Amino acid sequence: MKIISVNAGSSSLKFQLFEMDNETTIASGLIERIGLEQGIVTIKYSGKKIVNNLEVKDHKVAVDILLKALFENHIIETIDEIKGVGHRIVQGGEIFDSNCLINQKVVSDILDLQELAPLHNKAHVTGINAFLEVLPNTPEVAVFDTTFHRTMDEVTYLYATPYEWYTKYGIRKYGAHGTSHQYVSSICNHLLNKKDSKIIVCHLGNGASICAIRDGKCIDTSMGLTPLEGIPMGTRSGNIDPTIFGVISKKENKTIDEILNALNKESGLLGVSGISSDSRDIEDAMKSGIKRAELAFNIQVKRIVDYIASYYVLLEGLDAICFTAGIGENSSVTRKAIVDKLKVLNIYLDEDLNKLRGQNLISSKESSVKVYVIPTNEEVMIAREVIRLANLK
Ligand code: ADP
């Protein structure tokens, strides 16, 4: 059974087409620069990669191009072969406690949540409508980044700001990367095979968040109202003292939006190092002895360790730490730097296992907590949700 998993951004559309009988990716692709002069269409299948430059007027045209490419390359023969479409939605607010089949009410609710995710939710709806137009009889499912975090209690999700900000405007912690945290922790739970398991997942990519999970349920996570909160990331600052807004606004005559832009796009690894947001560049620069690269790396590691330590206490102990996403899966250097700071909790790395690639246990026999690398797969999780919610078995 073929299911397509979609991530629609304001000017891009990313997709993966799965054969869900064996959960393999048959084709994947990215359509970029939608609505701009020269679009870029990249389609990958059977080890081949096709890149075309052409105008992509809007998301509907992007979906047409994507389906045409699937036909032309004989990846599918008829449109009916696609049995369902799953959409990644960044913000589900307090409306969506679970993922769901998409109907007109769901679409308008996603739009109502726009204020909490201005860049994302509107773009997601554009993607949903484009698929509805082209595949009107195919079930579409919304999979929210926030639903996994809906089990946090109010002591955890409320900020200590005026309570009316919450009741009037929904100002609270929602978290993100929920689909990834859920996927990775479910694999970890399977490996642990233990009741009431206590797990910390470190999703360390360009965007990065940490999640404390007890018995399969999120009890706390590092991202907040938006993905800006938490640990420093590729270009995001993570937690700061909000007073910085006032100081920078006066010193540099900047607006709130300009400062927010700097905190989202010019901070983190990039801001501190002045070199790059990409951890590979940071590691290379560290090898060349560049001090600010080392500083950027160490600040990120320190803040990650702070969260692990605080979640250890919150969970009242710990069974496993899981590393996932671009840095978590690939950077043995980052993993080592983090786990080396956890010796006080009797958590130890096996340095040889840490050098392996793919899913692995990387802690030593002496470690009181298991440490795993578990590659994430948000797209397959979305496709699984389509099958479950559209009853496609
Ligand atoms: P996102 O999905 O948030 O854009 P990814 O999960 O793809 O991000 O992670 C991107 C990050 O992973 C980048 O900082 C990149 O440098 C890092 N990364 C990927 N491969 C490696 C590697 N081999 N060593 C170190 N870092 C890596």
Side-chain angles (χ1 to χ4, degrees), residues 34 74 105 209 250 262 275 281 344 355 390:
I34 298 174
H74 300 285
K105 167 91 174 73
S209 69
K250 281 193 196 116
I275 293 172
D281 298 336
V344 69
K355 289 189 186 121

Side-chain angles (χ1 to χ4, degrees), residues 205-207 277-280 283 325-327 330-331:
N206 189 32
S277 61
D278 191 305
S279 71
R280 285 166 289 203
E283 285 179 28
I327 299 172
N330 296 299
S331 173

Side-chain angles (χ1 to χ4, degrees), residues 8-10 59 110-111 114 117-127:
S10 51
H59 284 73
I110 294 172
L111 279 178
Q114 238 186 107
L119 294 179
H120 292 105
N121 273 27
K122 197 160 163 249
H124 298 326
V125 167
T126 316

